[in-house]
Amino acid sequence: MVNTADFYKHTDVICDRSQPIVKTIMSLLDEVVERLPDEEQFKITGLIVIDTKQIAMGLWNIWRHQWKIAGPDFNLDLVGNCQYQPAGSFNNLDKRIRADDRYVITIIVDNLESKTDDYIKGLIAHELSEMSCPYRMLQENWDTLKKMEPADRPVMYDKWTKANAVLGSKEYQEHEDDINNEAIRLGFQKEIEALEVEN
């Protein structure tokens, strides 16, 4: 199991702990982290934002320019989002340092007060799986990627992860199924079932 203290050494949490719902989510986050298997992907650098949509939008307006990533689509009715950034370049796989991967999870609290603890834990597990699943796909397919032309590598990665699937499409549903299956593999079947029932 993941050592919670070690996890928070490389994963920062930004939140307003004066909000009762945030205190609840922080406690549930700790429960999820304690149950994670001790796997390599849970040792990479992360940031977890737990706040209102308005605050999260303001933070992402700054970060998307600094980090040159799109960030969440706040036009959607989001409750959670994960942005996973593999380190290095697909052009230079030999020198890529896996420890330099990064992820940012955004949890929107606006509509979570009426949700069950299992739903919220399922949401957290799902978002962590949005990082864990592509991370593991990269590791498992490393040799295949290295044999490919550099221009083809990101295309294949997107195909494996279905990262750019259109909301509502068959491919998007397959992506969501892959992520939920990863969360179940990590030990959160009951919580994923609660997430799916309440969605």
Side-chain angles (χ1 to χ4, degrees):
M1 305 307 254
V2 166
N3 181 304
T4 309
D6 288 344
F7 180 84
Y8 289 119
K9 283 179 187 172
H10 52 74
T11 300
D12 292 326
V13 179
I14 295 176
C15 64
D16 175 2
R17 292 174 195 257
S18 69
Q19 299 178 64
I21 185 61
V22 173
K23 288 180 184 174
T24 299
I25 295 169
M26 286 297 301
S27 173
L28 297 173
L29 172 62
D30 289 344
E31 287 182 40
V32 169
V33 169
E34 287 169 6
R35 290 172 49 195
L36 291 171
D38 187 17
E39 295 179 359
E40 188 178 331
Q41 68 272 29
F42 301 117
K43 297 178 174 104
I44 67 174
T45 301
L47 175 64
I48 300 174
V49 179
I50 304 169
D51 219 315
T52 63
K53 181 177 179 179
Q54 183 178 1
I55 297 293
M57 284 175 65
L59 292 170
W60 271 104
N61 282 338
I62 298 166
W63 294 338
R64 66 176 35 104
H65 299 295
Q66 289 177 345
W67 301 337
K68 297 183 178 29
I69 57 174
D73 182 352
F74 288 102
N75 293 320
L76 302 174
D77 191 20
L78 289 177
V79 288
N81 178 270
C82 179
Q83 300 282 314
Y84 168 60
Q85 291 286 108
S89 166
F90 283 114
N91 295 326
N92 193 6
L93 291 175
D94 289 330
K95 294 185 178 179
R96 180 176 173 271
I97 300 171
R98 295 176 192 161
D100 287 343
D101 287 10
R102 301 278 184 271
Y103 69 94
V104 182
I105 290 174
T106 307
I107 303 289
I108 306 295
V109 304
D110 300 39
N111 299 311
L112 292 182
E113 298 219 9
S114 64
K115 301 297 186 183
T116 65
D117 287 358
D118 278 348
Y119 173 96
I120 294 171
K121 286 190 280 188
L123 172 63
I124 294 165
H126 178 92
E127 298 310 333
L128 283 165
S129 296
E130 288 274 10
M131 171 272 291
S132 179
C133 190
Y135 180 96
R136 288 190 331 105
M137 282 183 188
L138 273 177
Q139 308 321 315
E140 290 166 8
N141 294 287
W142 204 251
D143 291 337
T144 301
L145 283 174
K146 285 174 80 169
K147 293 172 188 170
M148 297 174 69
E149 291 295 321
D152 296 332
R153 293 170 184 161
V155 174
M156 184 57 70
Y157 172 74
D158 286 348
K159 182 177 177 183
W160 287 331
T161 61
K162 303 170 188 73
N164 298 314
V166 176
L167 183 66
S169 69
K170 178 184 173 193
E171 189 178 39
Y172 180 83
Q173 188 55 53
E174 288 172 356
H175 167 81
E176 288 297 296
D177 291 345
D178 289 346
I179 300 305
N180 284 339
N181 287 335
E182 174 71 356
I184 290 166
R185 184 193 73 80
L186 295 172
F188 296 93
Q189 180 160 353
K190 180 180 76 158
E191 292 83 359
I192 291 300
E193 287 171 357
L195 181 65
E196 290 179 326
V197 165
E198 292 189 52
N199 266 343

